[in-house]
Amino acid sequence: MLVETHAHLDYPDFANDFDDVLRRATESGVTRIITIGTSVESSQRAVDLAEKHSNIFAVIGVHPTYAEEAEEDVITPLRELANSPRVAAIGETGLDYHRLPSVSAAKEKKVQVFARALQGETEEEIEASIQDGAHKSRQASLFQQQLDLAVELGLNVVIHQRDAWDDTLEIMRPYSGKLRGVFHCFGGTLEQANEVVDLGHLVSFTGIVTFKNGAAVRQVAARIPLWKFMVETDCPYLAPVPFRGKRCEPAHTRIVAETIAAARGISLDDVAAITTQTAQEFFRFNRT
Ligand SMILES: [Zn+2]
């Protein structure tokens, strides 16, 4: 028995063969799937799926990448959606500095940026850094609002963090002891993993642990305490080897768990039993 703790089943990638996807998950021993909302609309779809299928639960939230296009008040609709007993946590929420306006601009015009760096700051660069600031503060505000909502509802939080480690921990610090977070798709160092574990949080691992260039993450998964992580796919993204590059699906959670079991030198059954219990304690699967 395995819990797939991070899927995006509401994405159109699964529209054509949804029932087959669920069947293959069950056949692989994935008995429970958590589908993660990335916007208010996506969260609504996640709840709809969870209400229709007994083995699916929903996590509701607004992803930092959607911070700009998100409606001014996302909390009122999220609070309403959380009335569903199928809602297991808040998220995914957090900070993502990977595609800030200045970074995008730099990628598009690599050569010019290099030339400009030699000349000092241009008007365009100043404009981009102002935009970066606005973007970051909008993300931070949405993140904080969702952390507050989680505390209000007594739920834990699925955290998305990319290129924003320090700011993410800084924002979460005052919430220590009030809620727990899972740093999903963990790609950091063992030191960083222990840092979040020491703050009472968890991490979860995707198919990256199977990648040739995933040795560092595999090592972290092998050495972090057995009770401090969960398994996921982040499907439709990050299909594990040998499916790399194809659409990922919840059945592949088993490959992630097998890879971690092999890296730790323990059985798949042990990884499955313990990560399942960790998930049962972290997510709200039954309303008391
Ligand atoms: Zn995700």
Side-chain angles (χ1 to χ4, degrees):
M1 173 180 181
L2 284 159
V3 181
E4 145 76 298
T5 61
H6 198 114
H8 295 286
L9 291 183
D10 73 300
Y11 284 19
D13 310 65
F14 298 108
N16 289 330
D17 62 344
F18 193 83
D19 292 337
D20 290 334
V21 167
L22 291 193
R23 181 180 47 76
R24 284 192 292 269
T26 306
E27 285 169 2
S28 302
V30 178
T31 49
R32 198 165 269 182
I33 303 168
I34 299 170
T35 190
I36 310 276
T38 50
S39 65
V40 169
E41 298 71 33
S42 159
S43 297
Q44 173 72 65
R45 291 195 297 269
V47 170
D48 290 346
L49 287 172
E51 288 183 343
K52 205 171 146 203
H53 303 272
S54 62
N55 58 335
I56 299 177
F57 284 81
V59 168
I60 56 167
V62 176
H63 192 289
T65 303
Y66 297 106
E68 288 305 314
E69 59 224 60
E71 38 284 78
E72 196 48 44
D73 174 19
V74 302
I75 295 304
T76 304
L78 289 178
R79 186 185 283 119
E80 205 149 297
L81 281 175
N83 281 324
S84 167
R86 307 298 294 174
V87 169
I90 296 297
E92 61 186 295
T93 179
L95 302 176
D96 191 325
Y97 296 169
H98 191 66
R99 283 194 194 83
L100 289 173
S102 64
V103 179
S104 309
K107 272 181 193 149
E108 278 162 29
K109 302 178 181 178
K110 244 181 200 161
V111 181
Q112 282 137 314
V113 165
F114 179 67
R116 267 191 245 127
L118 295 176
Q119 294 158 11
E121 270 192 323
T122 64
E123 229 167 278
E124 233 171 90
E125 275 176 317
I126 294 164
E127 175 58 32
S129 82
I130 292 169
Q131 275 182 34
D132 283 0
H135 202 81
K136 284 181 181 176
S137 69
R138 173 75 177 139
Q139 285 193 14
S141 158
L142 271 177
F143 186 21
Q144 262 166 334
Q145 290 177 46
Q146 292 178 80
L147 291 171
D148 287 337
L149 180 66
V151 172
E152 176 192 322
L153 299 170
L155 293 171
N156 287 322
V157 182
V158 175
I159 307 291
H160 173 100
Q161 181 285 128
R162 196 166 184 196
D163 296 346
W165 182 259
D166 291 340
D167 286 0
T168 302
L169 288 197
E170 190 59 34
I171 288 176
M172 289 186 75
R173 211 166 293 280
Y175 296 89
S176 261
K178 296 183 190 161
L179 54 73
R180 293 200 295 150
V182 58
F183 284 69
H184 110 88
C185 193
F186 190 77
T189 63
L190 184 61
E191 212 169 46
Q192 288 175 317
N194 284 329
E195 193 178 354
V196 301
V197 163
D198 288 345
L199 290 167
H201 307 306
L202 302 173
V203 300
S204 66
F205 298 105
T206 60
I208 291 175
V209 295
T210 69
F211 292 179
K212 218 175 202 174
N213 57 359
V217 186
R218 198 155 53 241
Q219 272 304 307
V220 176
R223 292 165 67 187
I224 185 174
L226 194 48
W227 292 92
K228 297 300 178 184
F229 72 90
M230 300 188 285
V231 284
E232 60 161 309
T233 65
D234 201 14
C235 64
Y237 313 114
L238 299 173
V241 174
F243 301 102
R244 193 167 179 184
K246 303 205 173 101
R247 182 196 68 179
C248 186
E249 59 179 69
H252 296 158
T253 308
R254 187 193 179 95
I255 302 174
V256 176
E258 279 170 347
T259 305
I260 295 173
R264 299 184 74 102
I266 58 176
S267 70
L268 171 63
D269 282 353
D270 283 345
V271 170
I274 291 167
T275 55
T276 294
Q277 198 177 324
T278 302
Q280 264 156 357
E281 285 162 14
F282 182 85
F283 293 103
R284 181 184 70 186
F285 288 140
N286 284 300
R287 194 172 285 224
T288 46

